[in-house]
């Protein structure tokens, strides 16, 4: 029989505390701990426990508690969080789930709803992780070099891992001159050529042990081959098969796509859910991007699948945002601001700008891009799940 899981209650409301303790006494799997003096004591206690439950009432000090929940879920994966609030809204629920909480229950408490959440928390603590079946693939592409494609792919992948806390794979498909490992200061033992030669052996354990993990995050990097000749025998069907295998383990795959339209690259772009066509605000780059859109159209890619990303954007640039959209015949999906010194410092140090200078305008732009990409996913999931509560 499973031991009872220690449970910490964070609520300023005495009545809520009493009701929770009464229900926890009735629920045989969780046991409430005594009240703590401060949040550092709560954090230290959770850190010392093998498994734990944190119940946080966001009726007061919501922003502060959300930051605390985010720290707990980032640092202590064996603590599952249940959030309560007397003012549930879609925006709050999205923030709660983005902070890593597993369950949300509206106040005043209804016993049946609370116990359903208790059961789900218990299952998440002890269940074997299920295979992912809803992976999304984002490819970053340009047929022109030197406009920041690799920096975008690296920072996008890292922010996806940080914000969603899901497993993210960053794939360097630049078979001749890949730079992802340089941008992230990694020295991987394995590369994509090795992976493609062992497709029949790949499972989740194999992937997580051979892909290079970036620091203490859920981001895994698959590097380009170190030698040119290793790419010669790679076939498009191998790329497709690799992606299908990766989908079973990773929630997101970010592809730093090669700047070409060879068969291997087209196979990767075809598998992608969203292709970011990277350009900058000058005429040669825009003309190249126009040709890319024409080729995407010939390949049968839906217009919603190919989105324009304007890099190194400056508000006072000679070629304005409106000019770019007029030339391209497309709305710009996202703009990454120009910040030459910050970006060059990050590149030279081999540290993604999101880690080197998280307060910079360019790092904030990457975070906001990820929030835009994931926001609709969160909202659709949460509204469907809590639609009765929100009426």
């Amino acid at each position: 029989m499973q031991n009872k899981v220690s449970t910490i209650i964070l609520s300023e409301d005495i009545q809520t505390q009493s009701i929770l303790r009464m229900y926890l006494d009735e629920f045989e799997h969780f046991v409430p701990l005594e009240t703590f003096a401060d949040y550092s004591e709560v954090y230290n206690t959770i850190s010392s426990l093998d498994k734990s439950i944190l119940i946080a009432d966001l009726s007061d000090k919501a922003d502060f508690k959300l930051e605390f929940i985010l720290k707990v879920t980032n640092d202590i994966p064996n603590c599952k969080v249940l959030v309560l609030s007397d003012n549930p809204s879609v925006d709050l629920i999205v923030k709660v789930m983005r902070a890593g909480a597993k369950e949300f229950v509206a106040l005043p408490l209804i016993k049946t709803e609370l116990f359903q959440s208790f059961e789900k928390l218990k299952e998440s603590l002890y269940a074997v992780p299920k295979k992912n079946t809803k992976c999304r693939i984002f490819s970053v592409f340009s047929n022109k070099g030197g406009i920041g494609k690799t920096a975008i792919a690296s920072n996008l992948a890292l922010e996806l891992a940080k914000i969603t806390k899901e497993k993210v794979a960053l794939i360097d498909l630049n078979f001749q001159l890949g730079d992802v490992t340089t941008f992230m200061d990694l020295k991987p033992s394995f590369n994509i050529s090795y992976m493609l030669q062992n497709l029949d052996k790949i499972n989740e354990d194999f992937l997580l042990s051979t892909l290079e993990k970036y620091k203490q995050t859920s981001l895994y990097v698959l590097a380009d081959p170190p030698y040119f000749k290793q790419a010669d025998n790679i076939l498009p069907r191998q790329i497709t098969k690799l992606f299908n295998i990766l989908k079973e383990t990773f929630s997101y795959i970010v592809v730093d796509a090669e700047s070409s339209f060879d068969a291997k690259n087209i196979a990767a772009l075809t598998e992608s859910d969203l292709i970011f066509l990277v350009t900058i605000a000058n005429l040669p780059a825009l003309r190249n991007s126009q040709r890319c859109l024409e080729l995407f159209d010939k390949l049968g890619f839906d217009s919603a699948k190919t989105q324009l990303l304007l890099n190194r954007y400056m508000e006072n640039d000679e070629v304005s945002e409106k000019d770019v959209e007029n030339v391209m015949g497309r709305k710009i999906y996202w703009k990454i601001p120009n910040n030459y010194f910050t970006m060059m410092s990050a590149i030279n140090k081999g540290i993604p700008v999101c880690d080197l200078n998280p307060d910079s305008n360019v790092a904030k732009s990457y975070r906001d891009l990820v929030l835009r990409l994931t926001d609709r996913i969160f909202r659709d999931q949460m509204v469907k799940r809590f639609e009765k509560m929100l009426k």
Side-chain angles (χ1 to χ4, degrees):
M1 184 177 177
Q2 296 167 349
N3 294 326
K4 290 190 174 184
V5 178
S6 298
T7 304
I8 295 97
I9 299 171
L10 289 180
S11 177
E12 286 73 27
D13 187 80
I14 301 299
Q15 184 177 4
T16 299
Q17 291 180 27
S18 299
I19 294 172
L20 281 170
R21 289 182 177 279
M22 179 182 68
Y23 285 151
L24 285 167
D25 287 340
E26 188 175 339
F27 190 78
E28 61 181 12
H29 300 283
F30 300 161
V31 58
L33 299 182
E34 295 302 315
T35 303
F36 294 87
D38 56 42
Y39 283 81
S40 61
E41 188 179 353
V42 173
Y43 180 86
N44 292 335
T45 300
I46 294 172
S47 300
S48 68
L49 297 170
D50 179 44
K51 296 181 187 297
S52 61
I53 299 294
L54 174 65
I55 302 177
D57 178 3
L58 265 58
S59 300
D60 294 299
K61 304 178 183 177
D63 290 340
F64 179 82
K65 287 178 183 174
L66 280 170
E67 290 183 9
F68 181 73
I69 290 168
L70 180 60
K71 179 173 177 57
V72 168
T73 56
N74 275 335
D75 298 348
I76 314 168
N78 283 333
C79 177
K80 306 303 177 184
V81 181
L82 164 65
V83 166
L84 313 175
S85 177
D86 61 359
N87 187 26
S89 66
V90 174
D91 287 339
L92 177 62
I93 294 171
V94 168
K95 288 179 182 178
V96 164
M97 296 304 165
R98 191 175 282 135
K102 292 297 182 184
E103 292 294 320
F104 185 100
V105 176
L107 293 170
L109 291 170
I110 298 174
K111 181 179 177 181
T112 55
E113 292 180 0
L114 184 64
F115 273 50
Q116 286 173 1
S117 290
F118 282 171
E119 286 290 347
K120 290 176 183 176
L121 289 171
K122 183 189 73 172
E123 290 173 7
S124 68
L125 276 173
Y126 292 102
V128 176
K130 296 180 180 179
K131 294 281 187 181
N132 176 65
T133 57
K134 295 182 179 179
C135 176
R136 289 171 174 82
I137 302 176
F138 304 134
S139 284
V140 183
F141 176 82
S142 171
N143 68 337
K144 182 178 176 61
I147 62 172
K149 176 171 62 69
T150 298
I152 292 169
S154 301
N155 284 282
L156 172 62
L158 180 56
E159 283 299 326
L160 272 169
K162 287 182 175 181
I163 289 173
T164 68
K165 301 175 187 64
E166 303 282 351
K167 292 186 181 71
V168 179
L170 172 58
I171 313 300
D172 193 339
L173 283 188
N174 295 277
F175 292 109
Q176 304 299 327
L177 296 169
D179 283 325
V180 166
T181 54
T182 302
F183 273 57
M184 308 191 83
D185 193 25
L186 296 174
K187 296 179 180 179
S189 302
F190 303 95
N191 59 70
I192 192 169
S193 179
Y194 173 84
M195 196 70 64
L196 292 171
Q197 291 169 11
N198 292 274
L199 287 174
D200 294 334
K201 301 177 184 177
I202 295 179
N203 55 30
E204 183 171 357
D205 292 336
F206 182 92
L207 284 171
L208 299 183
S209 62
T210 53
L211 271 66
E212 193 74 12
K213 189 175 183 181
Y214 180 74
K215 296 183 178 178
Q216 301 302 311
T217 69
S218 57
L219 173 61
Y220 295 79
V221 178
L222 182 54
D224 62 305
Y227 307 109
F228 291 168
K229 288 186 178 180
Q230 288 180 284
D232 291 345
N233 298 321
I234 294 175
L235 301 173
R237 56 182 171 81
Q238 290 177 294
I239 299 294
T240 300
K241 185 173 181 180
L242 173 63
F243 276 47
N244 287 333
I245 293 170
L246 292 171
K247 288 178 187 178
E248 296 180 2
T249 296
F250 295 95
S251 297
Y252 298 94
I253 299 171
V254 177
V255 182
D256 183 9
E258 195 168 38
S259 298
S260 73
F261 281 96
D262 73 359
K264 296 188 290 290
N265 208 37
I266 290 174
L269 296 176
T270 300
E271 289 295 313
S272 302
D273 296 291
L274 185 61
I275 301 168
F276 288 117
L277 176 58
V278 182
T279 191
I280 55 177
N282 68 42
L283 194 55
L286 294 175
R287 283 177 175 169
N288 275 317
S289 296
Q290 280 180 317
R291 295 188 186 103
C292 289
L293 289 177
E294 291 170 3
L295 285 168
F296 288 156
D297 186 57
K298 290 179 180 178
L299 289 168
F301 294 167
D302 188 276
S303 60
K305 176 175 177 171
T306 57
Q307 297 292 342
L308 199 61
L309 192 154
L310 185 62
N311 197 26
R312 300 172 189 163
Y313 168 72
M314 294 187 292
E315 288 188 6
N316 298 321
D317 209 338
E318 185 176 355
V319 180
S320 68
E321 177 183 353
K322 187 175 181 181
D323 291 334
V324 172
E325 292 182 337
N326 288 336
V327 169
M328 298 299 297
R330 287 283 194 101
K331 288 289 185 182
I332 296 170
Y333 183 90
W334 199 258
K335 305 185 295 289
I336 304 292
N338 188 47
N339 192 329
Y340 176 81
F341 293 107
T342 299
M343 288 304 302
M344 287 308 300
S345 178
I347 292 168
N348 290 333
K349 293 177 181 178
I351 303 173
V353 69
C354 298
D355 273 354
L356 179 69
N357 191 349
D359 295 325
S360 64
N361 62 340
V362 67
K364 183 179 183 299
S365 182
Y366 283 121
R367 283 196 298 275
D368 290 343
L369 171 58
V370 170
L371 292 177
R372 175 171 179 176
L373 288 171
T374 59
D375 192 60
R376 176 52 57 188
I377 300 169
F378 274 117
R379 284 176 179 275
D380 289 348
Q381 291 174 342
M382 293 307 105
V383 170
K384 184 176 180 181
R385 185 175 174 187
F386 297 105
E387 55 186 1
K388 292 182 180 178
M389 180 194 306
L390 299 170
K391 287 182 180 179

